[in-house]
């Protein structure tokens, strides 16, 4: 079998590095995959909520769900509950479920709006996993309807990297411990070798930069410029702290609560709660942000809060010469919709697609890779901005600025299309599907200005009855499901 790159070197052993090592060692058995990491530097160790696509990675690499949950103190995630984003006191769900037909006379949200019956409750009661999340219940979709809804996980990011490491080593990847102190370049600008602190040298043909925020190869060595999104997404710091489990317990969802100058996350793991406050330092000082986080904890903090600093955006190019950036080294979007690991996976899969044929990808293919990754970052950026720009809050400067900001053209267009025509305009490579956009529009009370005349083809009483039945059916189905806690205990025991 022809080989595109004989020696592949992965720099960094966080989630990105070990996912890359597993993917590359599996897909390219003719290449060597060597991962260099430094225990002394460590990994970022946050990133505890995921997106359903991670299950595809696990399935592809035969990673058993119960093994994974046990090893990482994992729990199930049906989506996110947003609190105080539209107005203080208001909440809504964005879960990984759909709202059936989104067009034509049977359009579910259209009929819901037309019927306009307060007794129906929020639109989310028409979405099965949202009802499950609100009731604290969990069961996977039935085998005969695997796409009825989807789910993801919460886990301890430190444990996950270690868990992936064990798998990668079994699949043939090698690990080299050591701090990289110098990056030696080739005449054409690419990377040739890495020099370690103790004098050893690691040479390679292709380098995957998973070195985290420091961006050792793509940023520092190759000086690839950074595209800064902070004019739209100004948060640039996070305090993170684990706490003892108490309060609502093992909710099968993340909670994201909007505060004065940012938002907090609450992520339930099987042994503790992960908490964080993501905030914009131009609107609040670090100390006040820390206090606001500690005031929100359900139980006592289990460690001192840790401060992380970042700039939202991405490297202009992700693949430059023989260096491909994955994970934080290539860019970062605030973790409101848990998309970082999703972006790692997207980049990894697209890269493997280009390497698998066994020839070095042509310049046009690399340019296309870079365009594709830029597009995914921009589309997810737009989706995250949507949560802020629709706010009705005016109680602090952050929210006043978010409500009046000039939007990226791509988002402006989508908002216009939705408001004027009820079209959830999707362009491919979105990251989030139409149903996710609908969940945020509905949750934030942003509806189209006029109804589609097609909706009237369904008699009013028929529409009302169908919506009532659907809501009651889901309520009954969910009432019969186990609690998340009980389901998790069962699955954890199952393979013992
Ligand atoms: C506040 C915050 C919250 C987040 N929440 C989420 C979330 O909920 N969901 C989600 O999907 N993502 C989240 N993320 C992102 C997530 O943490 C990362 O995408 C993920 O952990 C991958 O990180 P990484 O592997 O790119 O970098 P890291 O984990 O930082 O790994 C970098 C690696 O490079 C090595 N390294 C660096 N320099 C050198 C050197 N000189 N020599 C040798 N080795 C070196 C380090 O030792 C380490 O092994 C969050 C991030 C932040 C900051």
């Amino acid at each position: 079998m022809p080989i595109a790159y004989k020696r592949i070197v992965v720099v960094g052993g966080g989630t990105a590095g070990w996912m890359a090592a597993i993917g590359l060692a599996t897909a390219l058995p003719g290449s060597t995959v060597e991962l260099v990491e430094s225990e002394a530097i460590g990994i970022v160790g946050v990133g505890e909520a995921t997106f359903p696509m991670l299950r595809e990675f696990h399935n592809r690499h035969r990673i058993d769900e119960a093994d994974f949950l046990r090893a990482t103190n994992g729990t199930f995630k049906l989506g996110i509950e947003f609190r105080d984003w539209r107005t203080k006191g208001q909440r809504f769900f964005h879960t990984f479920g759909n709202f059936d037909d989104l067009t034509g006379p049977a359009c579910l949200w259209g009929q819901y709006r037309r019927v306009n019956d307060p007794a129906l409750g929020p639109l989310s009661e028409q979405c099965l996993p949202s009802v499950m999340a609100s009731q604290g219940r969990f069961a996977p979709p039935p085998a005969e309807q695997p796409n009825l809804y989807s789910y993801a996980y919460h886990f301890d990011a430190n444990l996950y990297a270690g868990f992936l490491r064990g798998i990668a080593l079994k699949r043939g990847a090698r690990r080299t411990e050591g701090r990289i102190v110098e990056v030696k370049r080739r005449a054409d600008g690419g990377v040739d070798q890495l020099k370690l602190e103790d004098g050893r040298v690691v040479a390679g043909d292709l380098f995957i930069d998973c070195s985290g925020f420091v961006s050792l190869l793509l940023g520092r060595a190759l000086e690839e410029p950074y595209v800064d999104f902070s004019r739209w997404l100004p948060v640039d710091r996070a305090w993170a702290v684990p706490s003892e489990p108490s309060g609502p317990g093992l909710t099968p969802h993340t909670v994201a609560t909007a505060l004065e100058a940012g938002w907090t996350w609450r992520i339930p793991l099987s042994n503790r709660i992960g908490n964080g406050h993501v905030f914009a330092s131009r609107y609040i000082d670090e100390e006040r942000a820390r206090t606001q986080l500690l005031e929100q904890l359900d139980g006592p903090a289990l460690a001192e809060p840790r401060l992380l600093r970042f700039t939202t955006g991405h490297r202009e190019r992700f693949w430059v010469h023989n260096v491909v950036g994955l994970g934080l080294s290539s860019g970062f979007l605030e973790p409101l919709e848990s998309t970082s690991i999703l972006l790692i996976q997207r980049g990894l899969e697209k890269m493997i697609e280009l390497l698998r044929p066994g020839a070095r990808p042509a310049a046009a293919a690399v340019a296309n890779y870079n365009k594709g990754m830029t597009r995914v970052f921009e589309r997810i950026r737009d989706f995250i901005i949507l949560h802020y720009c629709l706010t009705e809050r005016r109680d602090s400067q952050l929210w006043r600025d978010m409500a009046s900001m000039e939007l990226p053209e791509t988002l402006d267009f989508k908002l216009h299309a939705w408001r004027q025509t009820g079209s959830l305009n999707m362009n491919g490579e979105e990251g989030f599907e139409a149903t996710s956009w609908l969940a945020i529009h509905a949750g934030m009370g942003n509806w189209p200005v006029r109804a589609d005349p097609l909706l009237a083809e369904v008699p009013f009483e028929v529409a009302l009855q169908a919506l009532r039945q659907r809501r009651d059916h889901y309520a009954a189905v969910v009432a019969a499901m186990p609690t998340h806690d009980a389901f998790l205990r069962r699955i954890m025991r199952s393979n013992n």
Side-chain angles (χ1 to χ4, degrees):
M1 180 182 164
I3 298 169
Y5 295 95
K6 196 153 176 37
R7 299 165 305 170
I8 302 179
V9 176
V10 178
V11 174
T15 300
W18 287 114
M19 283 179 82
I22 292 174
L24 291 163
T26 310
L28 308 171
S31 305
T32 59
V33 176
E34 178 173 6
L35 184 146
V36 186
E37 68 171 326
S38 159
E39 291 280 359
I41 295 174
I43 65 173
V44 69
V46 282
E48 303 189 320
T50 62
F51 200 71
M53 201 177 153
L54 186 64
R55 289 173 52 222
E56 286 171 31
F57 180 81
H58 287 181
N59 289 340
R60 181 165 311 138
H61 297 291
R62 305 185 313 282
I63 296 176
D64 179 75
E65 185 169 78
D67 285 348
F68 150 74
L69 290 168
R70 268 196 296 270
T72 61
N73 295 328
T75 62
F76 291 97
K77 173 183 170 186
L78 288 165
I80 304 173
E81 181 187 351
F82 289 93
R83 295 184 183 169
D84 300 344
W85 285 77
R86 180 179 171 190
T87 55
K88 277 192 185 175
Q90 189 262 4
R91 35 177 88 179
F92 67 93
F93 278 100
H94 168 211
T95 55
F96 307 121
N98 67 49
F99 292 92
D100 264 7
D101 278 343
L102 296 180
T103 52
C107 167
L108 189 121
W109 69 262
Q111 293 298 354
Y112 172 85
R113 286 289 292 161
R114 174 179 165 236
V115 162
N116 193 21
D117 179 355
L120 275 175
L123 182 69
S124 59
E125 289 189 18
Q126 304 283 333
C127 179
L128 182 55
S130 299
V131 183
M132 290 162 67
S134 68
Q135 304 292 321
R137 294 180 183 271
F138 182 81
E144 64 283 6
Q145 280 179 295
N147 299 323
L148 189 59
Y149 54 89
S150 197
Y151 66 88
Y153 309 104
H154 303 118
F155 57 64
D156 181 325
N158 283 304
L159 297 176
Y160 188 55
F163 174 71
L164 293 180
R165 178 204 286 191
I167 295 167
L169 297 179
K170 276 194 206 135
R171 309 271 159 99
R174 286 202 321 253
R175 174 181 183 274
T176 297
E177 166 64 32
R179 181 190 287 261
I180 299 158
V181 289
E182 194 183 335
V183 178
K184 296 210 163 146
R185 310 280 295 278
R186 302 186 315 209
D188 71 355
V191 170
D192 189 27
Q193 298 179 340
L194 310 173
K195 201 169 158 209
L196 306 188
E197 203 169 29
D198 61 7
R200 281 174 298 157
V201 164
V202 177
D205 305 313
L206 178 71
F207 290 81
I208 317 300
D209 185 354
C210 302
S211 61
F213 282 131
V214 57
S215 194
L216 212 54
L217 308 189
L218 205 52
R220 279 214 188 145
L222 270 56
E223 297 180 1
E224 184 61 17
Y226 197 76
V227 180
D228 185 339
F229 287 161
S230 52
R231 60 187 273 223
W232 299 292
L233 296 171
V235 297
D236 59 352
R237 305 266 197 285
W239 285 108
V241 68
S243 66
E244 268 180 29
S246 66
L250 270 192
T251 53
H253 59 271
T254 305
V255 177
T257 306
L259 296 186
E260 161 197 346
W263 56 274
T264 55
W265 76 74
R266 179 190 183 278
I267 295 177
L269 304 188
S270 61
N271 63 331
R272 64 166 171 82
I273 308 290
N275 309 276
H277 183 184
V278 179
F279 61 98
S281 62
R282 79 169 93 136
Y283 295 105
I284 190 172
D285 67 54
E286 289 174 359
E287 213 29 60
R288 185 169 158 78
R290 183 179 185 276
T291 307
Q292 286 184 349
L293 173 64
L294 292 174
E295 280 170 0
Q296 280 220 339
L297 304 185
D298 298 334
L302 291 169
E304 275 301 304
R306 195 157 68 94
L307 183 66
L308 297 119
R309 295 188 167 88
F310 52 83
T311 305
T312 301
H314 62 87
R315 296 277 154 203
E316 213 162 275
R317 291 172 299 172
F318 299 79
W319 188 327
V320 184
H321 298 299
N322 63 338
V323 174
V324 187
L326 288 179
L328 300 173
S329 74
S330 67
F332 181 60
L333 292 171
E334 63 180 89
L336 185 60
E337 285 283 356
S338 323
T339 42
S340 286
I341 297 172
L342 164 78
L343 285 161
I344 296 170
Q345 218 179 320
R346 279 281 176 104
L348 178 62
E349 282 171 10
K350 279 175 180 288
M351 173 179 70
I352 287 174
E353 239 172 69
L354 293 182
L355 298 178
R356 216 196 268 275
R360 298 195 175 185
V366 170
N368 197 45
Y369 175 92
N370 286 327
K371 258 197 220 144
M373 288 306 294
T374 302
R375 219 168 19 237
V376 181
F377 260 84
E378 287 176 349
R379 303 239 158 106
I380 295 178
R381 173 202 66 194
D382 288 357
F383 186 64
I384 294 175
I385 298 172
L386 186 74
H387 299 63
Y388 287 101
C389 71
L390 298 176
T391 189
E392 291 167 23
R393 286 183 63 156
R394 301 290 184 271
D395 53 295
S396 68
Q397 197 55 45
L398 171 87
W399 295 105
R400 287 191 288 275
D401 288 353
M402 290 313 237
S404 60
M405 80 170 118
E406 194 181 322
L407 299 173
E409 213 176 293
T410 40
L411 175 58
D412 205 26
F413 163 72
K414 271 207 176 104
L415 274 173
H416 186 78
W418 168 247
R419 294 276 296 160
Q420 296 307 315
T421 67
S423 151
L424 290 157
N425 216 290
M426 296 289 117
N427 300 309
E429 296 203 317
E430 284 287 340
F432 287 88
E433 294 176 6
T435 190
S436 287
W437 284 77
L438 175 57
I440 308 304
H441 285 305
M444 299 297 282
N446 183 43
W447 295 106
V449 289
R450 57 182 86 77
D452 186 337
L454 277 183
L455 296 171
E457 285 183 16
V458 178
F460 184 89
E461 273 309 317
V462 172
L464 178 61
Q465 198 54 24
L467 288 163
R468 277 190 192 143
Q469 272 172 4
R470 183 177 162 108
R471 181 203 56 191
D472 295 347
H473 172 65
Y474 282 165
V477 167
V478 170
M481 285 180 176
T483 64
H484 178 219
D485 215 1
F487 186 83
L488 194 66
R489 268 188 272 120
R490 196 187 309 159
I491 198 169
M492 293 278 205
R493 275 201 306 264
S494 63
N495 286 16
N496 269 334

